[in-house]
Amino acid sequence: MTSRRRPVLPGFGLSLGFTMAYLGLVVLIPLAAVFIKASGLTWHDFLAAVGSPRVLASYRVTFGVSFLAALFNVPFGVILAWVLVRYEFPGRRLVDALVDLPFALPTAVAGIALTAVYAKNGWIGRWLEPLGIQVAYTWLGIWVALTFIGLPFVVRTVQPILEELEPELEEAASTLGATRGQTFRRVILPALRPAIITGFALAFARAVGEYGSVVFIAGNRPLHTEITPLLIITKLEQYDYRGATALASVLLFGSFGLLFLIQLLQRRARRAAG
Amino acid sequence: MAGTVSTLAHVAKHRQRRSLGDPRWVRWSLIGLALLFVGLFLVVPLAAVFTEALRKGVGAYFAAFKDPDAQAAIRLTFLAAGIAVPLNLVFGLAASWAIAKFEFRGKALLIALIELPFAVSPVVSGLVYVLLFGAQGWFGPYLGAGDHPWLGSWINAHDIQIIFAVPGIVLATVFVTFPFVARELIPLMQAQGRDEELAAVTLGASGWQIFRRITLPNVKWGLFYGVVLCNARAMGEFGAVSVVSGHIRGQTNTIPLHVEILYNEYNIQAAFAIASLLTLLALVTLVLKNLVEWRHRRVIEAAAAADLRQFAS
């Protein structure tokens, strides 16, 4: 669109130079340190650090519960986005604003608040206790925290797509004799699918690295409710820098892989949209 | 002109989108489910913070802030945010200027790299600085050991410690809040293009004049929101700061770390009182976000209305 023969704006060298220098100094060099430090380990040491039973159990908790929390956020995130875009009800603006709370609330505050609510004598925990459901200090507590943390992602990725959806499409479907359910399944859902998958992946990636909101409610029993980020801190406190670095590189690898996947999905969605 | 048309379509859509009818029972059960979800996961925990904080009355609530350790934590948090936010503000302006106003290779990669800290676990964000500056770290041996001919002795002479001290906390805060301002500004400046700036160049304006008179006023609301978000995260960061802090009361504790200590000592009421301060900050952030979005919408709708009038005349 813009031709290159027009006058050029000043400041390109300065702004890009500063950007690269600052990015390198603050982000890239420190992150490279993890991989360089990890590559200094022998293969045998590395495998021992990332493959001990306690560590394997922590992956199961971290990745497994993160997956379940992100999965739970898919239907409820879509319902919430749908309700916010399509319906008018008292307090709609307030609910819309509250959706971002998990982004804005410090994780440690979320952690102690959720623990207070879901503990045995808490507002919600006391109703679940007679049913034999214990949330705080079990994997369910971790699930609650990770669901909280991931709540905005699906809503905020689906919401704009739903707003831009042409009403004519739905009208055409109903003119052709489709029921509301069929229209949703065949017309609306396919249009939302890329956004749903992106929202799910973002929530999942966020949950995998989460620390602050989880440690208070998890109980942190090794092999049962211990997450990988906590194990990194435990190893650091024992001055086991190698073990901590090896685990961190696994976690980084996992989240970078997810990030790459998200970029790929978004690029495909953009191309599909033209 | 394509932009104007899509803006018009957008405004029209906003007006009619609520007319789509679903049966009443579907509507109300979906609204009920959504409200239940928001209530259980967002409203109840939010209410719990203030209820627990005020459990022992207003006197106990304010007593929690009179504790010198709490005041030291508040001071340190303000210091860390006061350094991290301006640094990342300058970075955000430079990065968005370079990315939005110029064409160069590898731009997509640069944008992805800027968002990298979001993908890193807070614990790992803290760990990287321990690896660099800790006792066993790359630069660690120069800190305090004094075996480097001039650097070591200089650091010894000035008694500089980074990890388990204030500089480490500042560095970790800079890292986790790194993308916030840039991420708000880049799409905004890209959408605005560079026609206005190019016109100013043709008229003989200097780079600084263009930036101050044209670019900055155009992005001021996005910039403001980016700074607000950046600040909220800087003041609330827990995981990364927890790794590099020595957890020394009154010295290397930030507000979230002080909350953790109080909570683990079963001083629940005081923990929630201090936590309520951060919760208020989060609520103010949400209010400001909606204010900025509301202003954006009004500007867009006003522009669209002006275009409509032009079409009509």
PDB file of all heavy atoms in Angstrom, chain A residues 177-194:
ATOM      1  N   GLY A 177     -34.586 -23.560   6.888  1.00  0.00           N
ATOM      2  CA  GLY A 177     -35.264 -24.580   7.678  1.00  0.00           C
ATOM      3  C   GLY A 177     -34.436 -25.174   8.808  1.00  0.00           C
ATOM      4  O   GLY A 177     -34.841 -26.154   9.424  1.00  0.00           O
ATOM      5  N   ALA A 178     -33.240 -24.607   9.111  1.00  0.00           N
ATOM      6  CA  ALA A 178     -32.427 -25.139  10.199  1.00  0.00           C
ATOM      7  C   ALA A 178     -33.026 -24.722  11.541  1.00  0.00           C
ATOM      8  O   ALA A 178     -33.548 -23.615  11.672  1.00  0.00           O
ATOM      9  CB  ALA A 178     -31.004 -24.610  10.082  1.00  0.00           C
ATOM     10  N   THR A 179     -32.949 -25.632  12.514  1.00  0.00           N
ATOM     11  CA  THR A 179     -33.367 -25.251  13.863  1.00  0.00           C
ATOM     12  C   THR A 179     -32.262 -24.404  14.470  1.00  0.00           C
ATOM     13  O   THR A 179     -31.149 -24.321  13.938  1.00  0.00           O
ATOM     14  CB  THR A 179     -33.577 -26.488  14.745  1.00  0.00           C
ATOM     15  OG1 THR A 179     -32.314 -27.149  14.875  1.00  0.00           O
ATOM     16  CG2 THR A 179     -34.595 -27.434  14.134  1.00  0.00           C
ATOM     17  N   ARG A 180     -32.529 -23.783  15.631  1.00  0.00           N
ATOM     18  CA  ARG A 180     -31.524 -22.964  16.317  1.00  0.00           C
ATOM     19  C   ARG A 180     -30.292 -23.806  16.661  1.00  0.00           C
ATOM     20  O   ARG A 180     -29.154 -23.365  16.521  1.00  0.00           O
ATOM     21  CB  ARG A 180     -32.171 -22.444  17.591  1.00  0.00           C
ATOM     22  CG  ARG A 180     -32.116 -20.991  17.971  1.00  0.00           C
ATOM     23  CD  ARG A 180     -31.774 -19.963  16.994  1.00  0.00           C
ATOM     24  NE  ARG A 180     -30.930 -18.976  17.685  1.00  0.00           N
ATOM     25  CZ  ARG A 180     -29.975 -18.279  17.111  1.00  0.00           C
ATOM     26  NH1 ARG A 180     -29.721 -18.406  15.848  1.00  0.00           N
ATOM     27  NH2 ARG A 180     -29.266 -17.422  17.815  1.00  0.00           N
ATOM     28  N   GLY A 181     -30.550 -25.042  17.132  1.00  0.00           N
ATOM     29  CA  GLY A 181     -29.457 -25.950  17.501  1.00  0.00           C
ATOM     30  C   GLY A 181     -28.588 -26.293  16.304  1.00  0.00           C
ATOM     31  O   GLY A 181     -27.353 -26.271  16.384  1.00  0.00           O
ATOM     32  N   GLN A 182     -29.242 -26.574  15.183  1.00  0.00           N
ATOM     33  CA  GLN A 182     -28.481 -26.901  13.971  1.00  0.00           C
ATOM     34  C   GLN A 182     -27.658 -25.694  13.514  1.00  0.00           C
ATOM     35  O   GLN A 182     -26.512 -25.842  13.113  1.00  0.00           O
ATOM     36  CB  GLN A 182     -29.442 -27.319  12.852  1.00  0.00           C
ATOM     37  CG  GLN A 182     -29.956 -28.745  13.009  1.00  0.00           C
ATOM     38  CD  GLN A 182     -31.023 -29.071  11.980  1.00  0.00           C
ATOM     39  OE1 GLN A 182     -31.813 -28.196  11.603  1.00  0.00           O
ATOM     40  NE2 GLN A 182     -31.063 -30.320  11.541  1.00  0.00           N
ATOM     41  N   THR A 183     -28.279 -24.509  13.569  1.00  0.00           N
ATOM     42  CA  THR A 183     -27.561 -23.301  13.174  1.00  0.00           C
ATOM     43  C   THR A 183     -26.318 -23.125  14.039  1.00  0.00           C
ATOM     44  O   THR A 183     -25.246 -22.798  13.536  1.00  0.00           O
ATOM     45  CB  THR A 183     -28.462 -22.060  13.325  1.00  0.00           C
ATOM     46  OG1 THR A 183     -29.690 -22.311  12.673  1.00  0.00           O
ATOM     47  CG2 THR A 183     -27.809 -20.832  12.747  1.00  0.00           C
ATOM     48  N   PHE A 184     -26.478 -23.366  15.334  1.00  0.00           N
ATOM     49  CA  PHE A 184     -25.324 -23.189  16.223  1.00  0.00           C
ATOM     50  C   PHE A 184     -24.221 -24.178  15.875  1.00  0.00           C
ATOM     51  O   PHE A 184     -23.067 -23.808  15.733  1.00  0.00           O
ATOM     52  CB  PHE A 184     -25.750 -23.359  17.691  1.00  0.00           C
ATOM     53  CG  PHE A 184     -24.629 -23.119  18.653  1.00  0.00           C
ATOM     54  CD1 PHE A 184     -24.229 -21.826  18.950  1.00  0.00           C
ATOM     55  CD2 PHE A 184     -23.938 -24.171  19.230  1.00  0.00           C
ATOM     56  CE1 PHE A 184     -23.174 -21.594  19.811  1.00  0.00           C
ATOM     57  CE2 PHE A 184     -22.888 -23.945  20.088  1.00  0.00           C
ATOM     58  CZ  PHE A 184     -22.506 -22.657  20.380  1.00  0.00           C
ATOM     59  N   ARG A 185     -24.617 -25.451  15.720  1.00  0.00           N
ATOM     60  CA  ARG A 185     -23.609 -26.491  15.459  1.00  0.00           C
ATOM     61  C   ARG A 185     -22.954 -26.321  14.098  1.00  0.00           C
ATOM     62  O   ARG A 185     -21.753 -26.487  13.949  1.00  0.00           O
ATOM     63  CB  ARG A 185     -24.257 -27.863  15.543  1.00  0.00           C
ATOM     64  CG  ARG A 185     -24.177 -28.498  16.911  1.00  0.00           C
ATOM     65  CD  ARG A 185     -24.315 -30.017  16.860  1.00  0.00           C
ATOM     66  NE  ARG A 185     -25.248 -30.480  15.853  1.00  0.00           N
ATOM     67  CZ  ARG A 185     -26.569 -30.581  16.035  1.00  0.00           C
ATOM     68  NH1 ARG A 185     -27.086 -30.233  17.192  1.00  0.00           N
ATOM     69  NH2 ARG A 185     -27.357 -31.029  15.079  1.00  0.00           N
ATOM     70  N   ARG A 186     -23.756 -26.010  13.068  1.00  0.00           N
ATOM     71  CA  ARG A 186     -23.246 -26.042  11.689  1.00  0.00           C
ATOM     72  C   ARG A 186     -22.725 -24.684  11.210  1.00  0.00           C
ATOM     73  O   ARG A 186     -21.917 -24.629  10.305  1.00  0.00           O
ATOM     74  CB  ARG A 186     -24.353 -26.507  10.736  1.00  0.00           C
ATOM     75  CG  ARG A 186     -24.945 -27.849  11.075  1.00  0.00           C
ATOM     76  CD  ARG A 186     -24.296 -28.938  10.222  1.00  0.00           C
ATOM     77  NE  ARG A 186     -24.865 -30.233  10.530  1.00  0.00           N
ATOM     78  CZ  ARG A 186     -25.951 -30.719   9.915  1.00  0.00           C
ATOM     79  NH1 ARG A 186     -26.545 -30.016   8.990  1.00  0.00           N
ATOM     80  NH2 ARG A 186     -26.406 -31.906  10.243  1.00  0.00           N
ATOM     81  N   VAL A 187     -23.223 -23.597  11.774  1.00  0.00           N
ATOM     82  CA  VAL A 187     -22.847 -22.266  11.262  1.00  0.00           C
ATOM     83  C   VAL A 187     -21.970 -21.504  12.250  1.00  0.00           C
ATOM     84  O   VAL A 187     -20.902 -21.019  11.912  1.00  0.00           O
ATOM     85  CB  VAL A 187     -24.104 -21.427  10.912  1.00  0.00           C
ATOM     86  CG1 VAL A 187     -23.705 -20.042  10.429  1.00  0.00           C
ATOM     87  CG2 VAL A 187     -24.941 -22.145   9.882  1.00  0.00           C
ATOM     88  N   ILE A 188     -22.440 -21.429  13.505  1.00  0.00           N
ATOM     89  CA  ILE A 188     -21.738 -20.576  14.468  1.00  0.00           C
ATOM     90  C   ILE A 188     -20.472 -21.256  14.991  1.00  0.00           C
ATOM     91  O   ILE A 188     -19.385 -20.667  14.985  1.00  0.00           O
ATOM     92  CB  ILE A 188     -22.680 -20.195  15.620  1.00  0.00           C
ATOM     93  CG1 ILE A 188     -23.904 -19.474  15.054  1.00  0.00           C
ATOM     94  CG2 ILE A 188     -21.960 -19.312  16.630  1.00  0.00           C
ATOM     95  CD1 ILE A 188     -24.984 -19.197  16.056  1.00  0.00           C
ATOM     96  N   LEU A 189     -20.615 -22.509  15.423  1.00  0.00           N
ATOM     97  CA  LEU A 189     -19.479 -23.205  16.031  1.00  0.00           C
ATOM     98  C   LEU A 189     -18.267 -23.291  15.094  1.00  0.00           C
ATOM     99  O   LEU A 189     -17.139 -23.024  15.533  1.00  0.00           O
ATOM    100  CB  LEU A 189     -19.932 -24.591  16.509  1.00  0.00           C
ATOM    101  CG  LEU A 189     -19.163 -25.168  17.695  1.00  0.00           C
ATOM    102  CD1 LEU A 189     -19.149 -24.193  18.863  1.00  0.00           C
ATOM    103  CD2 LEU A 189     -19.743 -26.499  18.135  1.00  0.00           C
ATOM    104  N   PRO A 190     -18.447 -23.656  13.814  1.00  0.00           N
ATOM    105  CA  PRO A 190     -17.265 -23.699  12.934  1.00  0.00           C
ATOM    106  C   PRO A 190     -16.557 -22.345  12.830  1.00  0.00           C
ATOM    107  O   PRO A 190     -15.335 -22.291  12.739  1.00  0.00           O
ATOM    108  CB  PRO A 190     -17.865 -24.100  11.573  1.00  0.00           C
ATOM    109  CG  PRO A 190     -19.104 -24.821  11.906  1.00  0.00           C
ATOM    110  CD  PRO A 190     -19.654 -24.160  13.139  1.00  0.00           C
ATOM    111  N   ALA A 191     -17.323 -21.253  12.872  1.00  0.00           N
ATOM    112  CA  ALA A 191     -16.704 -19.928  12.794  1.00  0.00           C
ATOM    113  C   ALA A 191     -15.913 -19.619  14.060  1.00  0.00           C
ATOM    114  O   ALA A 191     -14.920 -18.903  14.030  1.00  0.00           O
ATOM    115  CB  ALA A 191     -17.779 -18.869  12.570  1.00  0.00           C
ATOM    116  N   LEU A 192     -16.379 -20.186  15.198  1.00  0.00           N
ATOM    117  CA  LEU A 192     -15.712 -19.893  16.471  1.00  0.00           C
ATOM    118  C   LEU A 192     -14.532 -20.820  16.740  1.00  0.00           C
ATOM    119  O   LEU A 192     -13.718 -20.536  17.617  1.00  0.00           O
ATOM    120  CB  LEU A 192     -16.710 -20.034  17.629  1.00  0.00           C
ATOM    121  CG  LEU A 192     -17.913 -19.090  17.642  1.00  0.00           C
ATOM    122  CD1 LEU A 192     -18.740 -19.349  18.900  1.00  0.00           C
ATOM    123  CD2 LEU A 192     -17.462 -17.633  17.612  1.00  0.00           C
ATOM    124  N   ARG A 193     -14.456 -21.936  16.002  1.00  0.00           N
ATOM    125  CA  ARG A 193     -13.501 -22.980  16.369  1.00  0.00           C
ATOM    126  C   ARG A 193     -12.056 -22.488  16.534  1.00  0.00           C
ATOM    127  O   ARG A 193     -11.431 -22.773  17.556  1.00  0.00           O
ATOM    128  CB  ARG A 193     -13.570 -24.150  15.388  1.00  0.00           C
ATOM    129  CG  ARG A 193     -12.789 -25.360  15.899  1.00  0.00           C
ATOM    130  CD  ARG A 193     -13.030 -26.598  15.058  1.00  0.00           C
ATOM    131  NE  ARG A 193     -14.412 -27.037  15.120  1.00  0.00           N
ATOM    132  CZ  ARG A 193     -15.121 -27.413  14.048  1.00  0.00           C
ATOM    133  NH1 ARG A 193     -14.571 -27.396  12.866  1.00  0.00           N
ATOM    134  NH2 ARG A 193     -16.357 -27.815  14.178  1.00  0.00           N
ATOM    135  N   PRO A 194     -11.505 -21.723  15.552  1.00  0.00           N
ATOM    136  CA  PRO A 194     -10.109 -21.274  15.734  1.00  0.00           C
ATOM    137  C   PRO A 194      -9.924 -20.452  17.012  1.00  0.00           C
ATOM    138  O   PRO A 194      -8.942 -20.617  17.719  1.00  0.00           O
ATOM    139  CB  PRO A 194      -9.839 -20.414  14.493  1.00  0.00           C
ATOM    140  CG  PRO A 194     -10.889 -20.784  13.515  1.00  0.00           C
ATOM    141  CD  PRO A 194     -12.075 -21.255  14.280  1.00  0.00           C
TER     142      PRO A 194
END
